[in-house]
Amino acid sequence: DVQLQASGGGLLQAGGSLRLSCAASELTFADYAIGWFRQAPGKEREGVSCIDNTDGNTYYADSVKGRFTISSDSAKNTVYLQMNNLKPEDSAVYYCAAIPSYYNPYYYLSDRDYHYWGQGTQVTVSS
């Protein structure tokens, strides 16, 4: 079975940095885009970033551009989300998910077509 294992969450102060990891198993890594989503209490889940392992293209929500960087290590079947200059509004449960690369990249930051989801990892940023 395909598994996505998200890790790296934590509690930190505003302005700090954190790196999340998403390790994939039983997945043809190169055929998928891996996305990061987050959900804060009382809010809808939102797309944060995505990397297409087929061509290396990356995608970011406007709210994180310039602060977050997504990268992929195909040797480890792992995608990373480096989060810098964190703000209290970044606090949420972060999930990684996989979508086949044949889907239209326009929808990569939408959760509607993702096939596989990992468990969440909590990120809490205090002011």
Side-chain angles (χ1 to χ4, degrees):
D1 292 348
V2 172
Q3 290 190 351
L4 299 174
Q5 182 73 35
S7 62
L11 171 65
L12 72 167
Q13 291 187 330
S17 297
L18 209 57
R19 189 178 79 159
L20 305 183
S21 299
C22 177
S25 59
E26 303 301 327
L27 185 77
T28 306
F29 201 63
D31 292 341
Y32 283 80
I34 305 296
W36 283 98
F37 294 81
R38 65 187 182 187
Q39 188 166 23
K43 295 188 176 181
E44 292 188 355
R45 186 163 57 191
E46 64 170 337
V48 174
S49 183
C50 181
I51 185 165
D52 190 333
N53 287 316
T54 299
D55 55 21
N57 285 341
T58 58
Y59 307 84
Y60 296 95
D62 288 342
S63 59
V64 306
K65 280 180 182 177
R67 300 189 298 122
F68 291 12
T69 302
I70 192 168
S71 61
S72 181
D73 185 340
S74 59
K76 297 182 178 180
N77 273 22
T78 299
V79 168
Y80 303 98
L81 185 67
Q82 178 67 44
M83 306 186 295
N84 297 330
N85 190 22
L86 281 160
K87 305 175 181 180
E89 52 263 42
D90 294 317
S91 297
V93 177
Y94 283 71
Y95 301 89
C96 61
I99 182 172
S101 294
Y102 56 73
Y103 278 90
N104 188 337
Y106 178 83
Y107 297 107
Y108 278 176
L109 294 184
S110 165
D111 62 1
R112 69 173 207 178
D113 293 321
Y114 277 76
H115 287 197
Y116 305 105
W117 289 85
Q119 90 295 353
T121 185
Q122 178 72 49
V123 174
T124 304
V125 185
S126 62
S127 57

